[in-house]
Amino acid sequence: MKGFSKFILACCISIAAMGLVSCEKKQVLKLYSWTYYTPTDVVKAFEQEFNCKVVVTEYDSNETMFNKLNNGGAKSFDIVVPSQDYVSILMAKGMLQPIVQEKFTNRSKINPAVLEKATYDPTMQYAVPYYFGAAGVCVNKKKVPGGNYERSWNIFADNQFKGHASMMDDYREVIGDALSYKGYSVSTKNDAELKEAVDLVKNSWVPNIVKFDAEGFGKDFARGDLWICQGYAEVIYGEVPEDEWDSTIDFFIPENGGPSYLDSMCILKDSKNAELATEFINYIHRPENYAKFLDFFRFPCYVNLEAEQYMQTKPMYPASIMDKCELKNDIGDYLEKYYSLWEKIRILN
């Protein structure tokens, strides 16, 4: 009986030990990012390699993201992926913590041309570039055969598109297009330059535009209702069947460039897992992993140039045109002036 009791006790201790192991909690990395912006297979591979759990919460705009963080939500996440102007705001408010550069071993993979544009943080002290992109022009080749149109932002002044054209419901984008066409900075604070751009939109572009729309333009284009639209390539290509891409879509970013955005990965000041967050940022920029992100969206390779050798899809547009695109930087209180002018533009007669 004595020996049996020892055996029972040993079994109980063993079972308890297994219970402790099975109940051991994995680290949880909380990512706050744009909708459909993080490929699931890359996240799952990271979870497996680092024995952790990644919880992704999504937002649809920088404003939504910032309002949540600024109203008590900052302590709920580890990584956030803001665009350039909101990186500046988060930095100014002290809401980010520095990237531990010694742990960011893939920093050399970042394209220097991108960092030159990121004047708010060119050394990646707080923000590591994730994607540099831009909206462009998409023409339905079936509706306008022969390619007889101007390949610039002023294409919206072409009367052959009257009643079948749309631009995004986004004042920094639309006004930025006109500023770029005029040869001015998309973040100008010069009243005379801004007036020129706004007059161009109101007098030459608006008469041909059927609506300003930042959400449904892809579906309208795919149905043939729109012959031309301003928007993001991935939205258009996502709605048109792949076997019709070549025959239907002519997507281009004008040669003189235009407004662009740079989304970056940042670690929040109150992150509970900053070390794991750094590992995630570094993991994304392993070239073979970053290539999966580019393939998922058919994005051009511009941020992490070494990833191109691992890509398996053809990008929707060449990366080279991005050299001429300009970031929409934070313009502070002047933003109210842009918005005020926009409210007068977007009311279509």
Side-chain angles (χ1 to χ4, degrees), residues 154-278:
N154 203 43
I155 189 174
F156 290 98
D158 190 335
N159 289 332
Q160 70 175 314
F161 297 108
K162 187 176 181 64
H164 298 284
S166 82
M167 296 190 78
M168 296 175 68
D169 190 5
D170 185 321
Y171 57 104
R172 288 299 302 274
E173 283 288 336
V174 176
I175 295 175
D177 294 342
L179 286 167
S180 181
Y181 176 73
K182 287 288 186 177
Y184 304 136
S185 168
V186 301
S187 300
T188 187
K189 293 183 181 181
N190 182 299
D191 287 345
E193 294 175 354
L194 191 55
K195 184 179 185 305
E196 271 192 64
V198 169
D199 286 346
L200 174 64
V201 177
K202 287 174 61 177
N203 300 328
S204 299
W205 298 0
V206 165
N208 294 326
I209 293 173
V210 68
K211 64 179 176 176
F212 290 108
D213 175 24
E215 296 180 358
F217 62 87
K219 288 182 170 56
D220 290 340
F221 183 92
R223 283 197 302 267
D225 297 338
L226 293 177
W227 299 359
I228 180 177
C229 62
Q230 174 223 19
Y232 298 111
E234 58 269 25
V235 177
I236 300 294
Y237 281 84
E239 294 293 343
V240 176
E242 189 169 353
D243 60 357
E244 296 180 22
W245 286 358
D246 290 339
S247 62
T248 304
I249 301 173
D250 178 15
F251 178 87
F252 63 90
I253 295 173
E255 284 295 323
N256 63 328
S260 59
Y261 64 91
L262 175 57
D263 295 330
S264 295
M265 295 178 285
C266 304
I267 302 176
L268 289 161
K269 183 179 180 180
D270 295 321
S271 167
K272 297 179 178 63
N273 286 298
E275 188 172 339
L276 186 61
T278 305

Side-chain angles (χ1 to χ4, degrees), residues 62-118:
N62 281 294
E63 290 76 15
T64 298
M65 172 272 298
F66 179 71
N67 287 336
K68 187 176 184 68
L69 296 183
N70 201 40
N71 289 289
K75 295 183 179 181
S76 303
F77 306 104
D78 298 298
I79 297 176
V80 67
V81 191
S83 300
Q84 65 288 335
D85 46 349
Y86 278 83
V87 170
S88 297
I89 293 170
L90 293 173
M91 287 172 61
K93 284 185 166 289
M95 297 172 71
L96 304 177
Q97 62 174 279
I99 304 293
V100 178
Q101 300 299 322
E102 294 76 17
K103 295 286 187 179
F104 181 30
T105 57
N106 288 319
R107 61 175 291 114
S108 62
K109 306 295 193 295
I110 307 300
N111 184 357
V114 173
L115 298 179
E116 287 178 10
K117 296 175 184 291

Side-chain angles (χ1 to χ4, degrees), residues 118-146:
T119 54
Y120 51 88
D121 188 18
T123 61
M124 297 185 287
Q125 184 179 1
Y126 293 98
V128 175
Y130 185 60
Y131 184 67
F132 185 90
V137 178
C138 200
V139 179
N140 188 323
K141 294 193 289 187
K142 292 180 178 178
K143 301 294 184 179
V144 192

